[in-house]
Structure formats: C-alpha cells, structure tokens
C-alpha cells in the first residue's frame, strides 16, 4: 500500500498549484481576476487605473506569485499564437506597475519575470503584422529593464550580468533578425554608462560595419527591411547620445582634478563618439532623412536616462 501511495504522489503534485489558490481570500481572488481581466481587455482607461492601483496598493504580496505567473504565461502564449501587440504592451506596463510598488518584495520573483520581459525586448516577432509598431513595445521594455537593474541590481548581484550576457549574445548573433538587434541595443543602452562604455560601444563599432554591408546589399529591397536597418542605426545613435550625455557629465565633474587616468578616460570617450559620428555620416549617405524617424522620441530617451543617471 505504501508503494502504491508513492507512485500516486506525482498525480497529487499536479493539484498543488490550484490548491494554493484556496489560500487567497475571496476578496483577493476577485481583485486578481479583475486585474487580469483588465490587462487582457482593450479598455485603456481601465488599464491605466489598474496599473496605477497595483503600483500603489498595499497588501498585494500574496498575489505576486500569481501575477508573475500570469505575465509569464500570457507573454509566452502570445509567442505561439496571434502575437497581440496591445496585450504584450499591457503586460509590460503591468510589470512596470508592480516594479514601482514600494510595498512589494518583488526580488524573489524577478527570475520569473525576466523571460517575458526579455522576450518583449528581443523577441523575433512581437506583432501579427510587421507594419505594427512593435518598436514602441521594445522601447518601453528597454526602460523596464533599466529600471530593474537600477533598483534591484545591487541586491540581486547576478541580475545585471545575466541580462547583459543575454542581450550581448542577441546582438552579436548575426543569425538573429534586425528586430532582435534593435531590442538588444536599446536594452543595453538603458543599463548605465558603464555597460555602454565597456560592453555596448566597443561591440557597436564592428557591428556598424556589418550593418553598412547589410544596407548596401538591401538598398532596393522592401521598405520594411529598409526601415528595420534604419531603426537599428537609430538605436545605435540613441545609445551614443545617451553615452555622450552621461560621459559628458562625468567628464565635466572630473575637470580640474589633474588626474591623468581621468583625462585618458575622457579622451577615449571622445574618440569613441567621433568614430560613431563618422559612421553615422556614412550611413546618412545611404538613408538620408529616413534616419530621423528612427531615433527615439525625447520622451523615450528621457525614460532611458531617468533610470540610468
């Protein structure tokens, strides 16, 4: 009989997850159901209120495992279904709301949130049609990544390393599409001047050469492909702009110290910016004013700067 009980345990384990839900009060269960229903809906006004609520409400700690599981499952399901762009954006906005709630201890759940977040950043295809604005989802998710690293990087020491490795791998893999490269660049751009200086910019100089070759080969191809190339280069220039701002602040702060090491660092930063500028002029010959819409808006650039300065 005991052996039979042991063999039955895997069947019992399958019921554990539903049984845990019974621990929630009816009020909490109704709250969870209403939030999930709102995230899945097309009602933007209701979504705004829901996100504002979860970003401020106390007493949601017991719902965190359910919310994180919902986001994980919802995003991953979309990758194999119709890729509802609005729903993916709603999920990322919901995540940002949870991250901003100072009453929640979210660090134990970051490992479960990272896969859907990184998917919305570097996923190959995030919309049902390539003409949809999946770029906005990637831009917003990049700011979420920057926020995660800024707020939780010190307490969760392997967090930034894990994210950096994932994004660098995505950027340097030439078999991955340009949409993925764009997300990787925007994500790395959100992670602070050190990541920009040590990780991203050194790799970009070689990457730009590959991008130029791609542009030459595809100068007369479909407009969507040409836009993808322009958007990636716009991301590169946005990264350079963020770096120039942050490095400029650091350089000005170090002026007058007379420290040779600081002066050498400043000179190296100027050299990197000059090299990127030279590459930009070359790419401008290929794309002209088509590059201009590829830059993030001031608001988007501000979101990245606000979590990295």
């Amino acid at each position: 009989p005991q052996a039979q009980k042991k063999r039955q345990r895997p069947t019992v384990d399958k019921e554990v997850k539903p049984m845990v839900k019974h621990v929630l009060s009816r009020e909490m269960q109704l709250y969870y159901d209403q939030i999930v229903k709102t995230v899945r809906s097309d009602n933007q006004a209701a979504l705004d209120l829901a996100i504002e609520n979860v970003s401020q409400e106390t007493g949601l700690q017991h719902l965190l495992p359910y919310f994180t599981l919902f986001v994980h499952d919802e995003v991953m399901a979309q990758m194999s279904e119709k890729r509802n762009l609005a729903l993916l954006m709603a999920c990322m906005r919901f995540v940002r709301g949870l991250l901003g709630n100072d009453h929640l201890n979210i660090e134990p759940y970051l490992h479960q949130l990272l896969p859907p977040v990184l998917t919305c950043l570097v996923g190959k295809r995030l919309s049902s049609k390539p003409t949809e604005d999946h770029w906005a989802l990637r831009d917003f998710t990049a700011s979420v990544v920057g926020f995660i690293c800024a707020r939780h990087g010190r307490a969760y020491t392997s967090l930034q390393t894990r994210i950096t490795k994932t994004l660098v791998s995505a950027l340097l893999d030439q078999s991955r599409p340009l949409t993925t490269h764009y997300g990787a660049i925007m994500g790395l751009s959100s992670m602070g001047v050190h990541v920009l200086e040590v990780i991203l910019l050194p790799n970009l100089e070689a990457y730009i050469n590959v991008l130029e070759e791609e542009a030459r080969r595809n100068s007369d191809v479909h407009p969507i492909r040409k836009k993808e190339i322009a958007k990636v280069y716009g991301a590169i220039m946005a990264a350079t702009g963020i770096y120039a701002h942050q490095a400029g602040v650091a350089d000005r702060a170090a002026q007058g110290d007379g420290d040779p090491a600081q002066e050498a660092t400043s000179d190296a930063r100027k050299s990197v910016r000059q090299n990127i500028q030279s590459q930009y002029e070359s790419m401008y010959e290929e794309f002209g004013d088509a590059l201009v819409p590829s830059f993030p808006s001031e608001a988007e650039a501000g979101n990245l700067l606000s979590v990295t300065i």
Side-chain angles (χ1 to χ4, degrees):
Q2 291 182 347
Q4 290 179 351
K5 288 183 179 180
K6 289 182 179 178
R7 286 194 297 269
Q8 291 174 352
R9 282 177 186 170
T11 302
V12 174
D13 287 345
K14 291 180 181 179
E15 302 300 321
V16 169
K17 199 158 56 175
M19 287 174 65
V20 173
K21 288 188 177 182
H22 298 164
V23 176
L24 296 177
S25 67
R26 177 169 175 77
E27 181 182 11
M28 282 286 95
Q29 184 68 57
L30 290 173
Y31 180 90
Y32 170 83
D33 291 341
Q34 184 60 46
I35 292 294
V36 167
K37 179 181 178 181
T38 302
V39 171
R40 286 172 170 163
S41 75
D42 296 326
N43 189 332
Q44 288 300 310
L47 178 62
D48 291 343
L49 290 174
I51 292 171
E52 181 180 3
N53 185 269
V54 299
S55 69
Q56 300 174 359
E57 185 68 36
T58 60
L60 297 183
Q61 188 66 37
H62 292 306
L63 284 175
L64 260 183
Y66 301 92
F67 282 148
T68 54
L69 183 62
F70 161 68
V71 171
H72 181 278
D73 291 350
E74 201 73 12
V75 171
M76 296 310 170
Q78 288 301 314
M79 294 303 101
S80 59
E81 295 178 0
K82 57 183 179 180
R83 290 177 168 80
N84 185 327
L85 184 61
L87 178 55
L88 292 175
M89 177 63 89
C91 285
M92 290 302 98
R93 290 186 61 203
F94 177 57
V95 169
R96 181 60 179 82
L98 291 173
L99 290 167
N101 189 327
D102 294 331
H103 304 290
L104 295 177
N105 177 23
I106 203 167
E107 286 171 7
Y109 303 97
L110 289 176
H111 71 285
Q112 195 169 14
L113 284 174
L114 279 181
V117 168
L118 292 176
T119 295
C120 287
L121 181 62
V122 297
K124 177 180 179 180
R125 188 161 61 89
L126 301 177
S127 56
S128 59
K129 299 177 182 178
T131 53
E132 292 185 273
D133 189 14
H134 59 89
W135 310 103
L137 172 61
R138 298 178 198 274
D139 292 341
F140 181 80
T141 306
S143 72
V144 173
V145 168
F147 186 86
I148 290 173
C149 291
R151 174 165 287 200
H152 303 285
R154 291 185 180 180
Y156 190 175
T157 54
S158 64
L159 180 71
Q160 184 156 316
T161 300
R162 176 184 172 187
I163 294 173
T164 301
K165 286 182 178 179
T166 299
L167 297 183
V168 170
S169 176
L171 175 63
L172 298 182
D173 186 350
Q174 295 304 311
S175 68
R176 304 288 292 275
L178 291 174
T179 51
T180 292
H181 294 168
Y182 175 89
I185 294 168
M186 295 302 291
L188 290 166
S189 299
S190 75
M191 295 171 67
V193 67
H194 180 74
V195 171
L196 281 164
E197 187 171 85
V198 177
I199 305 295
L200 181 57
L201 292 183
N203 284 304
L204 282 184
E205 292 189 54
Y207 179 81
I208 288 173
N209 294 328
V210 175
L211 192 61
E212 283 187 318
E213 180 61 29
E214 180 78 7
R216 281 191 289 270
R217 289 200 311 267
N218 295 282
S219 58
D220 298 320
V221 297
H222 195 281
I224 291 177
R225 182 63 171 175
K226 192 167 185 176
K227 181 177 181 178
E228 288 177 350
I229 297 171
K231 289 291 291 187
V232 172
Y233 203 81
I236 292 173
M237 295 309 300
T240 308
I242 293 169
Y243 174 74
H245 173 81
Q246 296 183 354
V249 170
D251 290 344
R252 287 192 295 273
Q255 281 179 356
D257 290 346
D259 185 346
Q262 291 284 358
E263 292 178 3
T265 299
S266 179
D267 290 342
R269 287 169 173 167
K270 290 177 183 177
S271 177
V272 169
R273 292 197 293 268
Q274 289 170 356
N275 287 342
I276 297 290
Q277 179 63 30
S278 175
Q279 296 283 1
Y280 171 79
E281 292 171 359
S282 175
M283 288 294 287
Y284 190 86
E285 294 179 3
E286 294 284 343
F287 291 99
D289 291 336
L291 274 179
V292 176
S294 302
F295 285 85
S297 67
E298 290 183 11
E300 292 162 348
N303 285 336
L304 292 178
L305 288 170
S306 67
V307 297
T308 56
I309 290 178

